[in-house]
Amino acid sequence: MIQVQLFQDYYTNLLAYPTWQKMLKETQPKTLIAWGAKDVKFNADGAKAYLKDLPNAELHLLDAGHFAVEEKTRDIALLILNFLP
């Protein structure tokens, strides 16, 4: 239900991007990005864009589509385990 609401009002989400980008740039949280390289909805350029604000982020473009977590569950789990302190 929440996902449907977000989809129906995605424009509001877009308006918030500058606020999120500013926060990320200022705080530089330790960040792991696991992204489906074959995602046609949110392509790899979207993942790479995070690196503008988070140059030290760990980016992994996986051989997966939009549902990378379902397609590469074990790979992502290992990335998370290796990423955590």
Side-chain angles (χ1 to χ4, degrees):
M1 181 65 157
I2 293 172
Q3 191 67 27
V4 172
Q5 290 171 335
L6 285 172
F7 181 71
Q8 290 173 337
D9 188 24
Y10 199 75
Y11 182 69
T12 301
N13 189 25
L14 290 175
L15 294 176
Y17 276 23
T19 302
W20 284 105
Q21 290 164 329
K22 181 177 186 280
M23 182 278 298
L24 293 173
K25 189 175 245 180
E26 290 175 354
T27 62
Q28 292 297 302
K30 185 175 178 186
T31 304
L32 171 66
I33 303 167
W35 204 279
K38 298 177 187 175
D39 189 337
V40 294
K41 187 162 184 78
F42 297 103
N43 64 40
D45 290 339
K48 294 173 189 172
Y50 281 100
L51 299 177
K52 292 176 188 171
D53 296 319
L54 297 166
N56 298 316
E58 188 176 313
L59 171 61
H60 297 270
L61 294 173
L62 305 170
D63 185 23
H66 186 69
F67 297 102
V69 173
E70 287 82 2
E71 295 176 45
K72 297 292 182 179
T73 305
R74 290 175 192 246
D75 295 342
I76 293 174
L78 287 173
L79 288 172
I80 292 169
L81 289 172
N82 290 325
F83 181 78
L84 294 173

